[in-house]
Amino acid sequence: MHQVILEEQDDVWDFGKASPAPVAAIAVRRPRVEIGTRDTQKEEQLDVVLEKIDMKLCLEVAIKACKACGDRICDEKDNLRDREEKLSELEEECNNILATAIASKYPLHAIVGSKNVAGHTAITSAPTWFITSIDGVDNLVRGSTSVCVSIGLCVERRPVLGVIFNPLLDNLVAAYRGGV
């Protein structure tokens, strides 16, 4: 049996593969951090990096991509029942809509989605977009309106932007760090 020591590491997110052998976990106690407290040095470092990024433009790109993806979902929502192949095609198309919109504007940023998450073993400090083309696939197939498209952006391993769009209800929630 393998032993793994679990520690809270603020600066590394590891998406590595699980060990095939059984694992015993040992929790390592670290000093408690109150919710809402911040590491001032990391916050200042993040602010310096964000000064070089046009967050309003990032938000516009994300919103436009979510709405384009949402349009495709609305176009196809009635054609998905009992059509697994059509659903897979729609998910692939929507992933491409989101990834292409981001990559065309930010070719050096990383993009992580359900189709390529296995290839990402750690998040770097570079800008990294997280995309979900259809969250609530089962709901969509059943005809429920609990479906959304979402995009998030992390910089310096910190979330700095988020867009959640429900195309069936035409509800959009969007925000970015330092936004009004």
Side-chain angles (χ1 to χ4, degrees):
M1 184 176 288
H2 291 84
Q3 267 191 351
V4 176
I5 296 178
L6 303 176
E7 293 185 33
E8 291 181 27
Q9 294 183 354
D10 192 31
D11 51 2
V12 176
W13 295 355
D14 188 359
F15 295 108
K17 297 185 184 208
S19 170
V23 176
I26 300 171
V28 175
R29 278 238 185 257
R30 288 191 147 195
R32 279 187 81 125
V33 176
E34 292 295 321
I35 294 176
T37 61
R38 297 183 174 168
D39 181 333
T40 339
Q41 186 178 14
K42 287 184 180 182
E43 294 298 318
E44 288 171 1
Q45 180 183 357
L46 177 59
D47 288 336
V48 168
V49 172
L50 289 179
E51 287 176 7
K52 301 173 188 169
I53 299 174
D54 185 346
M55 293 300 292
K56 286 184 182 178
L57 182 58
C58 288
L59 189 67
E60 288 173 18
V61 168
I63 289 172
K64 186 176 178 182
C66 282
K67 287 190 172 190
C69 184
D71 288 345
R72 286 301 299 136
I73 291 169
C74 288
D75 290 346
E76 296 296 329
K77 69 178 168 57
D78 295 327
N79 302 326
L80 299 175
R81 285 188 175 77
D82 302 322
R83 302 212 37 216
E84 198 69 30
E85 183 178 312
K86 185 71 174 167
L87 182 59
S88 292
E89 288 173 12
L90 179 62
E91 281 187 280
E92 182 77 25
E93 182 181 352
C94 287
N95 269 321
N96 288 336
I97 289 169
L98 297 178
T100 301
I102 295 166
S104 65
K105 193 68 181 172
Y106 303 103
L108 300 178
H109 291 192
I111 301 171
V112 178
S114 61
K115 301 295 182 190
N116 71 342
V117 72
H120 293 274
T121 57
I123 307 278
T124 68
S125 60
T128 305
W129 295 82
F130 295 88
I131 60 174
T132 303
S133 60
I134 306 175
D135 192 2
V137 173
D138 293 337
N139 292 336
L140 181 63
V141 171
R142 285 194 311 266
S144 169
T145 58
S146 296
V147 176
C148 72
V149 178
S150 60
I151 296 179
L153 173 62
C154 286
V155 176
E156 294 289 326
R157 299 178 190 96
R158 304 261 194 215
V160 296
L161 177 145
V163 176
I164 301 171
F165 178 56
N166 181 324
L168 303 179
L169 298 176
D170 196 30
N171 287 339
L172 175 80
V173 178
Y176 64 92
R177 180 183 172 109
V180 184

